[in-house]
Amino acid sequence: MKIITILGARPQFIKAGSMSREINRQKDLGVDVTEVIIHTGQHYDTNMSDVFFEEMQIPKPNYFLGIGGKTHGAMTGQMIEKIEPILVKEKPDCVLVYGDTNSTLAGAIASSKLNLKIAHVEAGLRSFNLKMPEEVNRILTDRVSNILFCPTDSAVENLKNESFSNWCDNIENVGDIMLDSALYYKEKALIPKGLEIKKNFILATIHRAENTDSPETLKNIVSQFNKLAEQIEIVLPLHPRTKKKIEINKLKLYDNINVIAPVSYLNMLYLLNNCKLVVTDSGGLQKEAYFFKKPCITVRSETEWTELVECGANKLISLFNKNLIDAYFEMINFNNFSNSFYGNGDTASRIFIKLNNLLNK
Ligand code: UD1
């Protein structure tokens, strides 16, 4: 069985890392399986890419396409063009794509045009906001995939509501592969080098286009962060997109905000384990906050992880209607993290068994 994994952006390294570990474990057990990795280059900085491969011991990509820092259309188009000949040459039994980035969509389109079997990990998520590039990417990827590995019951439900079961026989809730990674690596968590933090701190990240690309929205976010920092220290690993936009708009983050470069996965696990609360617009971090039993404030008007909002662990806020400090006081004492929405941390092995059964039929 030959599997091609297509990835390119930071959250995909975290997901694919657990899958590669499972593939190698199966290989050691004598299963005939080969994984070929294509890295599109969407994320290319050392701290956005290389460090994840090193820490998580993800096999070095067999192909690196070097397509990053472009507009969405150019990025996606160039990826499709460069992925196609690799697929033709490698003739995989299946292509694995993860999540909702431009790399996911490019991998899915290139594969579907060659009639290759596509398995989408993290299928069925919806924000119901088509203005988000990720929502378009995930709907189109789901539509051309043959095997839809959903992380939650609500993701399966979304696909059923969109009639996916009329044309796809393989829709399954296998749990969330990010839980595999969190459980496996949490013992190895590392404090970011040189970081000095006081006892109580908030972990914050902001990078979504809808929060960074309008100067007015970004200015409001920075000002609310500055106000919250008067109450409690904030540690803010700053995404390159946000950093650029803050500089362009000449905004200033106050000193009680500990602005650091994007952190590695093991560093992020340390911050998650030690913070009091998370403020973010990332999809993955909302769940990771829950894995680490931390309340989360999500700076977005909708989320794909609706179960977290329903159980009260996550609060969605738009900073134009709601003050971050008020949300902080509402959320800081939340402590009911008893539901296991995301499976048992054995998602990679469930995916492998399913693929092995289907592809060897
Ligand atoms: C992408 C994904 C998003 C995911 C996020 C995680 C899409 C549509 N979006 O958003 O779903 O949550 O990754 O980080 O695929 N940049 C660097 N160095 C890097 C990477 C990016 O400087 O290593 C710059 C780019 O040149 C660009 C900006 O950051 O100017 C945004 O990068 P891009 O990959 O377009 O999207 P993300 O915002 O990272």
Side-chain angles (χ1 to χ4, degrees):
M1 173 163 70
K2 186 191 258 190
I3 296 173
I4 288 208
T5 298
I6 300 177
L7 37 69
R10 188 169 59 172
Q12 290 162 335
F13 310 142
I14 296 165
K15 295 164 197 164
S18 282
M19 200 62 223
S20 292
R21 201 172 58 254
E22 174 63 16
I23 292 171
N24 287 332
R25 191 179 73 88
Q26 295 285 347
K27 217 191 270 175
D28 292 345
L29 293 172
V31 178
D32 180 16
V33 55
T34 313
E35 182 185 33
V36 173
I37 300 179
I38 303 176
H39 185 325
T40 62
Q42 178 170 351
H43 287 173
Y44 46 86
D45 287 341
T46 305
N47 54 8
M48 295 288 286
S49 174
D50 299 357
V51 69
F52 293 86
F53 282 81
E54 283 154 27
E55 275 187 348
M56 302 182 79
Q57 294 173 326
I58 306 170
K60 205 170 162 322
N62 303 75
Y63 298 90
F64 183 80
L65 309 184
I67 305 163
K70 302 190 189 317
T71 61
H72 284 213
M75 193 193 295
T76 313
Q78 288 177 26
M79 285 174 190
I80 296 172
E81 193 179 349
K82 288 205 181 172
I83 291 168
E84 185 177 57
I86 302 173
L87 297 177
V88 171
K89 178 175 150 220
E90 294 284 351
K91 299 184 182 54
D93 298 298
C94 177
V95 177
L96 262 182
V97 293
Y98 292 86
D100 55 19
T101 72
N102 295 334
S103 303
T104 316
L105 178 63
I109 292 182
S111 308
S112 74
K113 293 202 179 280
L114 296 168
N115 280 324
L116 293 170
K117 272 213 162 56
I118 307 166
H120 184 201
V121 179
E122 218 180 58
L125 293 180
R126 297 290 183 266
S127 66
F128 302 100
N129 174 3
L130 275 171
K131 287 196 179 134
M132 282 176 70
E134 292 82 5
E135 182 76 351
V136 175
N137 291 344
R138 56 172 87 101
I139 292 173
L140 299 180
T141 302
D142 281 344
R143 186 59 186 85
V144 294
S145 294
N146 311 83
I147 311 165
L148 294 165
F149 290 120
C150 300
T152 56
D153 285 337
S154 58
V156 173
E157 215 40 49
N158 287 338
L159 294 177
K160 293 211 167 127
N161 291 340
E162 292 172 29
S163 304
F164 271 71
S165 29
N166 290 347
W167 59 82
C168 181
D169 295 333
N170 301 298
I171 302 176
E172 196 172 319
N173 176 0
V174 289
D176 194 310
I177 198 158
M178 285 185 75
L179 182 58
D180 295 31
S181 304
L183 293 177
Y184 183 80
Y185 290 100
K186 81 172 178 201
E187 302 306 324
K188 306 176 203 288
L190 283 175
I191 184 163
K193 245 197 202 133
L195 181 67
E196 278 177 35
I197 31 187
K198 293 167 210 141
K199 203 159 173 282
N200 290 331
F201 70 95
I202 285 179
L203 170 62
T205 75
I206 289 287
H207 77 275
R208 291 266 170 211
E210 70 253 36
N211 281 331
T212 55
D213 290 6
S214 139
E216 200 196 346
T217 307
L218 187 63
K219 195 172 162 201
N220 186 29
I221 289 176
V222 167
S223 118
Q224 300 247 5
F225 272 37
N226 285 339
K227 275 193 205 127
L228 180 60
E230 289 167 9
Q231 300 286 329
I232 180 168
E233 180 174 357
I234 300 177
V235 175
L236 177 65
L238 202 56
H239 190 286
R241 168 200 279 280
T242 319
K243 184 168 186 278
K244 272 186 215 165
K245 300 284 179 182
I246 286 181
E247 283 163 8
I248 291 170
N249 291 296
K250 299 192 172 54
L251 300 171
K252 169 101 183 85
L253 288 159
Y254 290 171
D255 288 349
N256 205 25
I257 303 182
N258 213 333
V259 180
I260 56 176
V263 290
S264 74
Y265 186 53
L266 298 184
N267 290 162
M268 191 51 115
L269 295 182
Y270 175 90
L271 295 173
L272 277 161
N273 206 14
N274 289 284
C275 71
K276 285 282 166 211
L277 177 141
V278 173
V279 178
T280 192
D281 61 2
S282 149
L285 206 61
Q286 294 173 49
K287 266 177 312 169
E288 288 173 321
Y290 191 80
F291 300 159
F292 283 84
K293 302 188 185 333
K294 302 299 156 89
C296 182
I297 297 170
T298 299
V299 186
R300 279 177 56 192
S301 43
E302 70 282 304
T303 180
E304 300 75 21
W305 311 105
T306 46
E307 53 285 329
L308 295 181
V309 176
E310 280 154 21
C311 81
N314 191 353
K315 185 170 189 67
L316 296 178
I317 61 164
S318 152
L319 292 184
F320 285 108
N321 309 327
K322 177 93 192 170
N323 194 313
L324 186 55
I325 296 187
D326 292 346
Y328 163 73
F329 284 118
E330 279 168 38
M331 292 301 288
I332 189 69
N333 293 318
F334 180 88
N335 65 3
N336 178 7
F337 298 91
S338 54
N339 290 304
S340 54
F341 298 117
Y342 302 109
N344 307 314
D346 59 354
T347 296
S349 105
R350 292 175 68 181
I351 290 175
F352 191 89
I353 292 167
K354 177 91 179 179
L355 287 179
N356 206 16
N357 289 343
L358 283 176
L359 300 177
N360 289 321
K361 250 186 196 164

